[in-house]
Amino acid sequence: GAVVSQHPSRVICKSGTSVKIECRSLDFQATTMFWYRQFPKQSLMLMATSNEGSKATYEQGVEKDKFLINHASLTLSTLTVTSAHPEDSSFYICSARGTGKGTEAFFGQGTRLTVV
Amino acid sequence: GEDVEQSLFLSVREGDSSVINCTYTDSSSTYLYWYKQEPGAGLQLLTYIFSNMDMKQDQRLTVLLNKKDKHLSLRIADTQTGDSAIYFCAEIVNTPLVFGKGTRLSVIA
């Protein structure tokens, strides 16, 4: 199946700093990428949807100035958590879908962010 | 709006069959998915079923879809300890997937 690579898998940062998470589709062109957040023992919450070359669409309650999403190419989307706080500590997962792959969504391995 | 419900926990003995159930509300779902999440890891697509199908079998996995009742199930035959994980069902109505809260499957040796 298609491969989506997410990097880094784990990151620890200090409060107030920014962290960038990358999501790459390795063998297909991802026209749409999704960013999810997962709190411990909870389900995935969709944060935003991004289409290549367009501004991301954020879900209600997600601060777009805090969670910056860039989808500049068909194989790369980035999520930048700006001015991170301990409450931003979470598991972030991206998924990607390409037009040539039907409606299947392929997921990255996830990034465990810990803000200290 | 869309809503997907799952039971939160399931415990089975090794070698038995596991059945994980899911209900959804939106009848216009086109695809329904089952994902597996192992501790600390991302999601692994296990299988999916198109909404005009009733059943799909893939090795030890059997997916049953009752569209009238909006009920989806995943049966794992001969459950192994390596099957212990959280299983999410998800539906697609528009572009993003809508997930259930996940069912934690514990396999007892």
Side-chain angles (χ1 to χ4, degrees):
Chain A
V3 177
V4 174
S5 176
Q6 188 173 339
H7 177 81
S9 57
R10 290 179 182 272
V11 59
I12 301 173
C13 71
K14 291 185 178 180
S15 288
T17 61
S18 294
V19 173
K20 180 185 282 188
I21 302 169
E22 292 188 350
C23 181
R24 292 180 186 273
S25 57
L26 298 185
D27 57 354
F28 69 102
Q29 293 185 323
T31 51
T32 307
M33 285 195 176
F34 308 94
W35 287 95
Y36 294 86
R37 181 175 181 178
Q38 185 182 30
F39 292 100
K41 298 183 181 179
Q42 293 190 30
S43 187
L44 297 150
M45 288 175 48
L46 179 66
M47 298 174 66
T49 302
S50 72
N51 292 296
E52 184 264 337
S54 303
K55 287 186 179 179
T57 302
Y58 289 81
E59 296 299 301
Q60 193 172 9
V62 178
E63 299 174 61
K64 62 180 180 181
D65 294 328
K66 182 169 186 60
F67 299 100
L68 300 178
I69 291 172
N70 184 288
H71 190 169
S73 78
L74 285 169
T75 59
L76 175 65
S77 176
T78 60
L79 167 68
T80 302
V81 183
T82 62
S83 187
H85 288 268
E87 56 265 30
D88 299 325
S89 298
S90 192
F91 193 57
Y92 294 86
I93 304 177
C94 70
S95 78
R97 178 178 295 127
T99 54
K101 293 286 182 179
T103 58
E104 289 181 54
F106 298 94
F107 284 82
Q109 304 94 318
T111 298
R112 169 83 53 201
L113 170 64
T114 304
V115 184
V116 297
Chain B
E2 306 108 359
D3 194 19
V4 178
E5 298 283 339
Q6 295 179 244
S7 53
L8 296 181
F9 301 99
L10 177 65
S11 181
V12 298
R13 292 195 179 276
E14 191 175 17
D16 288 350
S17 293
S18 309
V19 179
I20 303 171
N21 294 300
C22 173
T23 58
Y24 58 98
T25 56
D26 200 313
S27 58
S28 56
S29 298
T30 52
Y31 286 87
L32 296 125
Y33 300 82
W34 284 103
Y35 286 89
K36 177 183 181 182
Q37 186 181 34
E38 296 181 354
L43 294 171
Q44 173 194 356
L45 176 65
L46 285 179
T47 187
Y48 64 93
I49 189 168
F50 189 49
S51 58
N52 68 354
M53 298 169 64
D54 298 324
M55 186 182 88
K56 182 178 179 181
Q57 186 153 4
D58 184 3
Q59 298 182 339
R60 292 192 297 125
L61 304 178
T62 303
V63 178
L64 294 177
L65 175 61
N66 182 328
K67 201 171 179 183
K68 175 175 170 289
D69 294 338
K70 301 192 188 86
H71 182 267
L72 181 73
S73 68
L74 173 69
R75 179 178 180 269
I76 306 173
D78 187 25
T79 310
Q80 303 298 307
T81 54
D83 295 323
S84 294
I86 301 175
Y87 291 81
F88 292 93
C89 68
E91 63 171 347
I92 181 167
V93 178
N94 295 307
T95 306
L97 293 171
V98 179
F99 286 89
K101 287 185 167 51
T103 299
R104 184 177 295 276
L105 174 64
S106 298
V107 181
I108 305 165

